[in-house]
């Protein structure tokens, strides 16, 4: 979803996400990798082991906050192909929570508690209206 051009040297861009959403796409892909100093040590998205341009998860989260529900409140899926270290996964989670907050579909579990009865069944599409599902 993030590439403009080919998968070897194309440009990764938030504009690609905006165009996909405007065309009705409700599922986008993020190939996430550990970021470096150039990107503020935050996770980046690009087609790994290629010469494609990198964009940060933060840039994408800001874009999705603005555009994911611009045309419809139908559920939106973030398909994350994760190549990040555990530390960078924690950074990515903080970024997604900061920018997407209440839009993130997530059950609440407390350490040591049994799974609540209502979480044993998957939510209906109506219950996910206006929510972002991370898979």
């Amino acid at each position: 979803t993030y590439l403009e051009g080919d998968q070897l040297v194309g440009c990764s861009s938030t504009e690609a996400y905006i165009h996909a959403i405007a065309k009705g796409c409700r599922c986008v892909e993020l190939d996430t990798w550990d970021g470096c100093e150039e990107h503020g040590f935050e996770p980046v998205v690009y087609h790994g082991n290629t010469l494609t341009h990198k964009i940060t998860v933060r840039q994408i989260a800001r874009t999705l906050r603005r555009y994911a529900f611009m045309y419809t409140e139908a559920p939106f899926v973030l398909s994350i192909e994760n190549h990040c270290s555990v530390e960078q996964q924690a950074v990515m989670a903080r970024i997604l929570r900061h920018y997407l907050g209440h839009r993130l579909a997530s059950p609440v579990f407390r350490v040591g508690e049994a799974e609540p009865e209502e979480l044993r069944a998957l939510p209906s599409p109506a219950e996910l209206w206006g929510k972002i599902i991370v898979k």
Side-chain angles (χ1 to χ4, degrees), residues 3-116:
L3 285 173
E4 294 177 342
D6 67 63
Q7 292 188 330
L8 294 177
V9 295
C11 181
S12 300
S13 165
T14 56
E15 289 295 317
Y17 288 98
I18 294 167
H19 292 302
I21 293 166
K23 290 181 179 182
C25 180
R26 301 309 295 156
C27 180
V28 297
E29 182 181 48
L30 286 76
D31 289 340
T32 60
W33 299 81
D34 287 352
C36 61
E37 185 175 1
E38 176 185 354
H39 298 102
F41 296 104
E42 290 186 352
V44 293
V45 172
Y46 76 109
H47 193 67
N49 304 312
T50 66
L51 299 175
T52 56
H53 177 75
K54 298 172 183 163
I55 54 177
T56 65
V57 168
R58 183 178 303 275
Q59 290 171 289
I60 295 166
R62 279 195 301 244
T63 300
L64 295 178
R65 177 177 64 185
R66 182 170 180 192
Y67 293 97
F69 297 100
M70 181 173 272
Y71 304 101
T72 179
E73 288 288 315
F76 192 88
V77 178
L78 287 182
S79 178
I80 298 177
E81 186 177 312
N82 179 44
H83 302 279
C84 291
S85 65
V86 171
E87 293 81 13
Q88 289 278 285
Q89 289 177 49
V91 172
M92 180 170 33
R94 281 193 300 274
I95 291 168
L96 293 176
R97 280 194 306 265
H98 175 78
Y99 287 98
L100 305 177
H102 73 282
R103 292 284 194 175
L104 291 172
S106 60
V108 177
F109 292 100
R110 291 191 176 93
V111 177
E113 280 188 9
E115 184 176 328

